Amino acid sequence: MVVPVEPTLHTSERPSADAELHRRLVYGEETALAEAYAAYGGLVRRVAVRVTRSAVAAEDVAQEVFAQLWSRPYAFDPDRGSMRTWLSLLAHRRAVDWVRSEARHRKEARADDSALHSIPDSGPGPDEAFVDRERSLLLHSALAELPEPQREVVLLAYFAGRTYRQAAVELGIPEGTAKTRLRSALRKLAVSLGDPSDPAWERGA
């Protein structure tokens, strides 16, 4: 396999080369994008890896960076700096966005786990076999009463060990839809599995 080698143009040659490459990108020449990737792809990935600590994430960042270069070539102004610097800054911003997004997803996953813990445990205890058996039957009954879309997400998330993001992929639905269905299902289960002696239960809350 032939590995692209970054150009070794002299500093005085690089601005004019960037300007020419930019002109070709503006005119939609696909070969110009390929040349830009060959010249700066390695740099973009290195910047992304330093921020994300993930080679896979770095590849995603690189794709986003060069997709933006292709779709919005006017965003780069060769008169204000080199393409190398511009792509490095863009890669850094995209990588930081990825890190923040991952942190947000982890926080949401922890919140979903906390919501699950609010549902009474249906597992049998050593001194409460009868009560726990009844509770287990109640859990299965409550699950059966959920709408099918919500039940699918719950079964994948808490009985098959999937995150809501993985469940979304398996079900072919957006992540936001999977999260909404999961939260709605958890609220319904919490009500169904509540303490029958509680006044709220008697009111059907």
Side-chain angles (χ1 to χ4, degrees):
M1 182 180 68
V2 178
V3 179
V5 179
E6 293 191 11
T8 57
L9 296 177
H10 296 294
T11 303
S12 59
E13 297 174 333
R14 189 68 261 177
S16 60
D18 284 348
E20 174 61 19
L21 191 58
H22 178 251
R23 183 191 66 78
R24 292 168 58 202
L25 286 166
V26 169
Y27 280 97
E29 291 187 21
E30 294 185 3
T31 54
L33 180 64
E35 289 178 22
Y37 188 86
Y40 302 116
L43 169 69
V44 168
R45 288 192 296 273
R46 288 194 297 273
V47 170
V49 164
R50 284 198 296 270
V51 176
T52 65
R53 305 296 181 183
S54 168
V56 174
E59 288 294 339
D60 291 342
V61 169
Q63 290 181 15
E64 293 179 6
V65 166
F66 285 98
Q68 179 170 338
L69 177 64
W70 176 248
S71 62
R72 298 176 55 197
Y74 287 106
F76 167 65
D77 184 353
D79 293 332
R80 299 181 60 182
S82 69
M83 185 174 291
R84 178 187 184 89
T85 300
W86 185 78
L87 289 174
S88 295
L89 292 173
L90 183 57
H92 186 270
R93 286 199 297 269
R94 292 282 187 173
V96 169
D97 288 343
W98 183 91
V99 171
R100 289 173 176 169
S101 177
E102 284 299 298
R104 187 163 55 250
H105 285 313
R106 287 194 294 270
K107 182 178 180 181
E108 291 171 352
R110 287 195 296 271
D112 288 339
D113 288 342
S114 298
L116 175 65
H117 293 324
S118 67
I119 300 176
D121 186 6
S122 63
D127 301 319
E128 301 176 333
F130 177 77
V131 174
D132 287 342
R133 184 167 61 252
E134 292 296 314
R135 189 176 294 169
S136 178
L137 292 174
L138 183 59
L139 172 61
H140 285 83
S141 176
L143 284 171
E145 292 177 0
L146 289 175
E148 181 65 22
Q150 293 180 8
R151 185 165 63 251
E152 289 177 338
V153 178
V154 171
L155 292 176
L156 284 174
Y158 295 114
F159 293 90
R162 306 292 195 274
T163 65
Y164 79 85
R165 298 171 68 190
Q166 293 169 334
V169 173
E170 292 193 27
L171 295 173
I173 58 177
E175 290 182 9
T177 300
K179 183 168 63 176
T180 298
R181 290 179 183 177
L182 182 59
R183 288 179 174 174
S184 297
L186 288 175
R187 284 194 293 268
K188 292 178 181 178
L189 289 175
V191 171
S192 298
L193 301 176
D195 186 354
S197 64
D198 183 65
W201 175 279
E202 298 296 335
R203 293 194 302 269

